[in-house]
Structure formats: structure tokens, C-alpha cells
């Protein structure tokens, strides 16, 4: 194996202090493996690079150091960063047993509003911690939120995390993120703000309760046109307080959104109280129970 080749580890292979147990998954930039620290007998997730190059290595190390500086139960924890024999960085992080919200959506179609809002509250709490470090996640979406076996939401994949006021490191001045969840100012390639994350969380919350984002478009070009020029098409039948909050969070003017993640969390608390007071049917209770049963039997998630 030489520098520049993709890394694909196999069961039983050693990488530094870690023994690879199984591959959990891979994306465009990185792959994740369940592994065991040989000395401590502790199971972890190893994250390695899929594509190798100077920029990719820089972004990978940046993500690891960013996560290592964060300490919050809603943010996956990184505790080791090292290099393989060819100088490629890899990191070790906590093993979170759970499912991505995207997987729960595929299984259930949509979630009970009270359950969805509770997950959004967890993400808002995590974002508040991230934002106090003057960082934005830049890629909030159902694929990047794991639901743990205890029912809490954990934010993962900080691959394009960016400091406030800076441009996305992967493509300065260009649109970066998952298209359906990008705010108008993100599409415009503007400097990073916390408001970009609040927009993406609102899109995610709408998808959780409605089964899809509030856009008719599917291609990146069409999504850009719709998001930057049209109002979101919110689903019918949403609880009134939730609809009102989503309208504010999805204003094309960032200044009209909640002031910060803490303010959003307070408003979500009010929505949750409304949802809980109206969730009295047997179907509501079964919906909540089904989600937790799904998660309790989950395999490790992919950070």
C-alpha cells in the first residue's frame, strides 16, 4: 500500500494499538470500523481516510482536533489521533450503539411529533456547546444524528466543521453541505454562522415529523433554486406551535431565525410541552415505544 491508495481494513488487521473487528460503513471521505484497543480491551470506532491527499489529510486532522476539544454527551467523543505506516491519519472515538435518524425514518416513515421534537432538543443542546466554541457543524441532517440505546441523540460527522466567519475549508467561497439541508446563505457560499446549523436542524425536524424535507426538488441545481427563491412547503397537519417555529427557523433572512441554539432549545421545550399534552392516544404511545425498541437492538452506529 502506498500513499494515495484507498485504505480498506479487514477483520483481524492491526492498526497501531487497535484490532479491527468489522467494517461499519464508508462515505466519500472516510470509513468507520468497530475495533478493540489491544491494551485496554475497549471497543471503539476507528475512522480512516477513504481518499488521500494533502487537503484530505488536513481536513481529517482538523476534524479530529475539533472533536477532541468538545465535551458534551450529545457530541461523539474523539480520544486518539495517530498515523499509519504511510503517514495517513486515523482517529479513535467512542462506540455509540444506536441508529441514525435516517434509518429510523426509513423504518417508520415519520416519527411521532413529541419523539421528533425530543431528538431536536438533544441536537440543539449539542449545537449550543459546539457554537460556544465558535464552530458550526455545517452538515446537520438525519444521517449525521445517531440515536443511542438510551434514547438520546448524538451528533456525528464533523468533516466540514467550520469556524464562525470563515468559509468552508473544503471549498472556500463555494456551497458545501448536504443539499436538502443547506440554508440560502450556505448555497451562496457566505461565511459560516450558527444560523446555518439552525436552518438545517429545522429541515431535519420537518423531515422527522413529515417524512421528507419541505422541498419539491431533488437535484442539487433545482434545490438551490427552490431554497434560495421559495418558501418551504411545510406539511399539513403539523401541531400549530411546531409549524410556527419551523416558519421562523426557515426564514430566508438569517436574522429572523432564533438568536442561537439555546434560544431554539427553549422554544422547542414549549413545542414539546404542547405535543406531550396532546399525545394521549394509544397509537402515539406505540409510536414512541417502537422507536426505542428499534434503538435498543441496534448495532454500532457510523460516526
Amino acid at each position: 500500500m502506498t500513499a494515495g491508495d484507498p485504505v480498506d481494513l479487514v477483520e483481524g488487521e492491526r492498526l497501531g494499538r487497535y484490532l479491527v473487528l468489522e467494517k461499519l460503513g464508508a462515505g466519500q471521505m472516510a470509513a468507520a470500523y468497530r475495533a478493540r484497543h489491544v491494551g485496554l480491551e475497549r471497543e471503539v470506532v476507528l475512522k480512516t481516510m477513504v481518499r488521500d491527499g494533502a487537503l484530505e489529510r488536513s481536513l481529517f486532522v482538523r476534524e479530529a482536533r475539533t472533536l477532541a476539544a468538545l465535551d458534551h454527551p450529545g457530541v461523539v467523543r474523539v480520544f486518539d489521533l495517530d498515523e499509519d505506516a504511510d503517514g495517513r491519519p486515523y482517529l479513535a472515538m467512542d462506540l455509540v450503539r444506536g441508529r441514525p435518524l435516517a434509518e429510523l425514518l426509513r423504518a417508520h416513515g415519520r416519527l411521532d411529533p413529541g419523539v421528533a421534537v425530543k431528538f431536536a432538543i438533544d441536537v440543539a443542546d449539542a449545537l449550543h456547546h459546539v457554537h460556544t466554541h465558535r464552530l458550526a457543524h455545517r452538515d446537520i441532517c438525519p444521517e449525521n444524528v445517531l440515536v443511542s440505546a438510551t434514547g438520546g441523540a448524538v451528533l456525528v460527522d464533523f468533516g466540514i466543521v467550520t469556524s464562525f466567519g470563515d468559509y468552508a475549508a473544503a471549498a472556500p467561497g463555494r456551497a458545501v453541505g448536504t443539499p436538502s439541508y443547506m440554508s440560502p446563505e450556505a448555497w451562496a457560499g457566505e461565511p459560516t454562522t450558527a444560523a446555518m446549523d439552525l436552518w438545517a436542524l429545522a429541515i431535519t425536524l420537518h423531515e422527522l415529523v413529515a417524512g421528507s424535507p419541505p422541498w419539491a426538488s431533488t437535484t442539487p441545481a433545482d434545490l438551490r433554486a427552490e431554497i434560495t427563491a421559495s418558501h418551504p412547503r411545510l406539511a399539513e397537519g403539523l401541531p400549530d406551535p411546531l409549524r410556527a417555529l419551523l416558519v421562523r427557523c426557515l426564514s430566508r433572512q438569517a436574522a429572523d431565525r432564533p438568536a442561537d441554539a439555546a434560544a431554539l432549545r427553549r422554544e422547542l421545550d414549549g413545542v414539546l410541552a404542547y405535543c406531550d399534552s396532546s399525545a394521549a392516544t394509544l397509537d402515539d404511545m406505540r409510536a414512541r415505544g417502537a422507536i426505542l425498541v428499534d434503538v435498543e437492538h441496534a448495532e454500532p452506529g457510523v460516526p
Side-chain angles (χ1 to χ4, degrees), residues 110-285:
R110 62 186 71 186
L111 306 187
D112 169 80
V115 174
V117 171
K118 177 60 173 68
F119 290 148
I121 287 172
D122 288 347
V123 176
D125 279 341
L127 283 177
H128 177 61
H129 179 72
V130 174
H131 292 169
T132 59
H133 288 75
R134 298 194 57 77
L135 297 167
H137 184 280
R138 291 295 303 260
D139 202 14
I140 304 296
C141 62
E143 288 285 358
N144 291 337
V145 179
L146 296 181
V147 181
S148 71
T150 61
V154 180
L155 191 54
V156 300
D157 197 345
F158 283 70
I160 57 173
V161 63
T162 310
S163 297
F164 288 174
D166 287 351
Y167 296 99
R174 302 202 334 247
V176 173
T178 302
S180 293
Y181 308 88
M182 289 168 56
S183 65
E185 64 272 20
W187 275 111
E190 294 180 10
T192 296
T193 66
M196 293 178 177
D197 282 346
L198 303 189
W199 169 287
L201 177 53
I203 297 292
T204 297
L205 177 54
H206 182 276
E207 184 171 0
L208 294 181
V209 296
S212 64
W215 314 116
S217 305
T218 56
T219 67
D222 288 344
L223 280 166
R224 177 173 187 159
E226 184 175 3
I227 290 170
T228 56
S230 304
H231 294 293
R233 306 181 186 194
L234 300 183
E236 298 294 331
L238 298 178
D240 289 341
L242 176 57
R243 174 178 291 275
L245 180 56
L246 289 175
V247 168
R248 289 188 54 233
C249 289
L250 297 177
S251 169
R252 293 201 299 273
Q253 303 300 318
D256 294 336
R257 299 171 205 158
D260 53 32
L264 175 57
R265 188 259 156 80
R266 289 192 293 272
E267 296 196 47
L268 286 167
D269 281 339
V271 175
L272 179 62
Y274 178 91
C275 291
D276 280 347
S277 67
S278 62
T281 70
L282 182 60
D283 284 345
D284 288 329
M285 300 307 294

Side-chain angles (χ1 to χ4, degrees), residues 49-71:
M49 296 172 54
V50 170
R51 294 189 298 177
D52 190 14
L55 176 60
E56 287 80 5
R57 291 190 185 197
S58 174
L59 293 174
F60 191 91
V61 171
R62 187 170 183 263
E63 176 188 5
R65 290 175 176 166
T66 296
L67 281 170
L70 302 176
D71 184 14

